[in-house]
Amino acid sequence: MSTTADPLAALGALPGVAESVDSVRKAVDRVYGHRVMRRRSNAVTSEAALRGARGSAALSGADWPLEEVRRRSDFSGAGGDAEARTVGAALRLTAEAGQLLSIWRQSPLRVLARLHLVAAADNGDTVGRPRQAGEPVDEPLIELPLPGAQEVAGRLDGLSELIIAGGSAPALVTAAVVHGELLALRPFGSYNGLVARAAERIVLVGSGLDPKSICPAEVGHAEQGRAEYAAALEGYVSGTPEGVAAWIAHCGRSVELGVRESTAVCEALQRGAA
């Protein structure tokens, strides 16, 4: 990261990032201007939440059809069904994220701990806190080298300080960095991907870019596919300007695809088909 007083804002000057920020802003403005949003925004928000949770679960290895997610009521994972537990965790995180917006800017580490607690749905002594030296991480779809516990603690503190300090960085840049850092660090013993994407959503909503939470970036991440997601993340972890810019652009494209999804929902509601 840059050593300037506002390193997140400095990332906004990377080649291509301003274009991504502008493109996302225009796309979000278009869906917010849809006539359905004037009367049925709550319905769009609810559908975006469901589709976002499905997309996040898919990236964590539980790629269920949307109608299966909508139909199921038991996500306990009885009988060793790990996919059901993953989908259930994604749904819980989506519901919880909206309750944590006011806390995020004052205590992001507290929010991250809460997100992991909600995802894990477990009271074990490793839940809701960053992992310690020697503790394993269950995140099979992210194959990057795993930072040590001391590095994790230091980088989480640094990320927290940046968020609390605020600054002039565009919401897309901040959301992408939060998402990328959490995936790179994998600070918890499980569900790091789900937590990272929930944190990205909190930034996008809390920043005012998507205040009604109708632009599910998780849908876009899933639509672009796990291979492209992993490749973009590798660019971020490399720390090169090109790699970081490519990750931010990937996140921007994901928001735009989420906008496209919610625009389709608006059109269906307008036709009376949903």
Side-chain angles (χ1 to χ4, degrees):
M1 287 211 179
S2 168
T3 57
T4 63
D6 192 352
L8 292 180
L11 295 180
L14 292 174
V17 170
E19 290 83 352
S20 293
V21 169
D22 185 56
S23 182
V24 166
R25 176 79 266 175
K26 289 177 179 177
V28 172
D29 285 347
R30 283 195 299 272
V31 72
Y32 270 84
H34 197 287
R35 61 188 302 177
V36 165
M37 289 296 296
R38 290 197 287 270
R39 293 187 177 181
R40 303 195 64 183
S41 65
N42 287 343
V44 181
T45 296
S46 296
E47 190 64 19
L50 183 70
R51 296 180 185 218
R54 192 218 74 83
S56 191
L59 284 168
S60 288
D63 193 0
W64 287 14
L66 178 64
E67 291 311 312
E68 177 67 8
V69 178
R70 197 191 304 277
R71 180 188 68 81
R72 285 279 289 266
S73 59
D74 180 10
F75 298 98
S76 64
D81 189 347
E83 289 194 5
R85 289 196 297 272
T86 297
V87 175
L91 289 167
R92 290 192 299 274
L93 283 176
T94 298
E96 185 73 11
Q99 310 302 314
L100 299 172
L101 295 171
S102 63
I103 305 172
W104 174 255
R105 286 296 296 271
Q106 286 74 43
S107 186
L109 297 185
R110 179 181 164 196
V111 169
L112 293 175
R114 175 62 185 171
L115 290 174
H116 186 245
L117 187 67
V118 168
D122 186 348
N123 292 320
D125 61 6
T126 64
V127 174
R129 63 157 175 79
R131 55 187 168 84
Q132 297 174 1
E135 291 181 343
V137 175
D138 180 16
E139 202 72 43
L141 299 177
I142 303 295
E143 299 178 351
L144 295 167
L146 191 66
Q150 187 172 357
E151 180 181 350
V152 169
R155 286 173 64 175
L156 282 178
D157 284 344
L159 183 64
S160 176
E161 289 170 6
L162 286 174
I163 293 165
I164 292 170
S168 59
L172 173 63
V173 171
T174 303
V177 168
V178 167
H179 185 171
E181 278 291 288
L182 293 175
L183 278 178
L185 296 176
R186 282 147 288 162
F188 302 109
S190 59
Y191 297 114
N192 289 286
L194 295 180
V195 168
R197 291 183 287 274
E200 178 186 49
R201 168 108 321 265
I202 286 172
V203 174
L204 293 171
V205 174
S207 67
L209 176 65
D210 180 20
K212 294 183 182 293
S213 195
I214 62 167
C215 307
E218 305 93 330
V219 168
H221 288 303
E223 187 170 332
Q224 293 184 83
R226 288 203 294 265
E228 190 165 337
Y229 185 67
L233 178 62
E234 286 183 14
Y236 175 83
V237 171
S238 76
T240 66
E242 297 80 8
V244 174
W247 169 251
I248 295 171
H250 176 89
C251 292
R253 177 61 177 157
S254 295
V255 175
E256 291 184 66
L257 290 170
V259 166
R260 187 177 71 179
E261 187 87 354
S262 286
T263 300
V265 170
C266 287
E267 294 295 328
L269 288 169
Q270 186 168 288
R271 294 192 304 269

